[in-house]
């Protein structure tokens, strides 16, 4: 009889534990479903917050399609030329297209007014991760070489931005010491055939495009390219 009683108690305990296990499992499943729902909601919010291509921006479309990963870019030797081509365009060797835009402070700026100086023109946007990575290098380069007659001009792809506030915040956050202008209509993006973000152009004192480099660039490459172009320009 004692054995029978013990067996009954054991059966009761098993049923109780099984019930508790089911309750725990239900709770676990509920937590998992809730976490999945939150993740899905976060993805939807993130997707809605991502900037949509404006005015057919090829650079922004490429950036979003590749999830921020740059496309294959040309080799270094394909981005620099010491030749002179009697045409206007952005191919290395050609005369750089002139443009007039408004600075972030609201003043008029014309590229051709910097004739006689070396000019680095950098196309950037607040949504571009590599732009943020390289911006301190441009600030450093400008501070190091401005006494040699070197200018840096940042061109914000304003037509792809959500507004001017993030652009102004970007300039303030990086304490950019050089001129920044606003491409509100996307005209410079088209004129300079910007297909990757960022993109950088080195223009010689006579207005020739010596470098057309799409994609991320760093301080060492800026210095190396500038000094190479300057040395070749002075020797010719």
């Amino acid at each position: 009889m004692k054995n029978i009683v013990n067996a009954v108690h054991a059966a009761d305990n098993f049923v109780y534990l099984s019930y508790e296990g089911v309750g725990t499992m239900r709770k676990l499943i509920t937590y998992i479903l809730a976490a999945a729902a939150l993740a899905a909601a976060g993805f939807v919010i993130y997707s809605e917050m991502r900037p949509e291509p404006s005015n057919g921006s090829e650079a922004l479309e490429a950036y979003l399609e590749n999830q921020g990963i740059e496309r294959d870019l040309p080799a270094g030797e394909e981005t620099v030329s010491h030749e002179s081509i009697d045409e206007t365009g952005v191919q290395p060797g050609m005369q750089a297209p002139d443009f007039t835009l408004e600075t972030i402070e609201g003043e008029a700026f014309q590229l051709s007014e910097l004739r006689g100086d070396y000019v680095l023109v950098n196309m950037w946007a607040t949504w571009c991760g590599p732009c943020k990575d390289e911006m301190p290098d441009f600030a450093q380069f400008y501070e190091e070489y401005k006494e040699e007659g070197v200018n840096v001009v940042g061109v914000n792809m304003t037509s792809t931005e959500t507004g001017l506030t993030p652009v102004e915040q970007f300039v303030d956050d990086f304490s950019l010491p050089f001129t920044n202008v606003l491409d509100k209509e996307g005209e410079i993006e088209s004129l300079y055939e910007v297909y990757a973000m960022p993109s950088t152009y080195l223009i010689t004192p006579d207005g020739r495009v010596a470098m057309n480099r799409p994609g991320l660039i760093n301080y060492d490459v800026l210095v190396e390219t500038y000094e190479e172009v300057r040395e070749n320009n002075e020797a010719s």
Side-chain angles (χ1 to χ4, degrees):
M1 178 63 70
K2 183 177 181 180
N3 291 335
I4 293 175
V5 172
N6 289 337
V8 170
H9 286 307
D12 287 341
N13 289 334
F14 176 77
V15 170
Y16 175 76
L17 291 174
S18 298
Y19 177 78
E20 286 295 308
V22 170
T24 302
M25 183 61 69
R26 286 177 176 172
K27 290 181 181 179
L28 180 59
I29 292 173
T30 300
Y31 292 149
I32 292 174
L33 291 175
L38 287 173
F43 176 78
V44 170
I45 293 172
Y46 169 75
S47 298
E48 291 178 349
M49 291 178 64
R50 294 173 74 189
E52 291 298 324
S54 176
N55 295 334
S57 169
E58 184 179 354
L60 178 52
E61 289 174 358
Y63 186 86
L64 296 180
E65 286 174 3
N66 291 281
Q67 298 179 331
I69 301 173
E70 298 171 1
R71 297 185 291 178
D72 292 336
L73 302 176
E77 60 270 16
E78 300 176 15
T79 66
V80 179
S81 174
H82 302 299
E83 299 180 359
S84 181
I85 301 174
D86 191 21
E87 294 180 40
T88 298
V90 294
Q91 177 183 328
M94 292 183 175
Q95 286 292 309
D98 193 19
F99 61 81
T100 300
L101 290 176
E102 186 179 273
T103 68
I104 198 168
E105 293 81 17
E107 301 175 356
F109 168 87
Q110 186 170 5
L111 178 64
S112 57
E113 292 181 356
L114 297 180
R115 280 291 185 97
D117 291 344
Y118 286 90
V119 184
L120 270 175
V121 179
N122 176 250
M123 311 297 183
W124 63 271
T126 61
W127 45 261
C128 165
C131 298
K132 300 174 184 178
D133 294 337
E134 70 178 15
M135 202 54 71
D137 290 350
F138 277 94
Q140 180 184 356
F141 179 84
Y142 175 72
E143 294 292 0
E144 289 288 336
Y145 288 92
K146 62 183 179 181
E147 299 301 328
E148 295 186 14
V150 176
N151 278 284
V152 175
V153 178
V155 181
N156 172 254
M157 302 288 99
T158 318
S159 63
T160 70
E161 302 282 7
T162 58
L164 284 180
T165 300
V167 179
E168 294 169 345
Q169 186 65 51
F170 186 99
V171 172
D172 288 342
D173 287 346
F174 286 98
S175 300
L176 299 182
F178 49 81
T179 299
N180 283 274
V181 296
L182 306 173
D183 185 17
K184 296 179 180 179
E185 304 299 327
E187 57 182 299
I188 306 306
E189 180 181 3
S190 175
L191 187 64
Y192 274 71
E193 302 174 15
V194 180
Y195 70 87
M197 195 68 65
S199 286
T200 304
Y201 308 80
L202 175 59
I203 301 173
T204 61
D206 61 350
R208 180 177 59 84
V209 177
M211 177 187 73
N212 175 347
R213 185 186 176 95
L216 182 67
I217 195 169
N218 59 41
Y219 177 80
D220 291 337
V221 174
L222 287 173
V223 170
E224 179 182 350
T225 304
Y226 161 69
E227 291 184 347
E228 174 190 333
V229 169
R230 182 167 192 136
E231 180 180 352
N232 186 276
N233 203 45
E234 292 177 349
S236 59

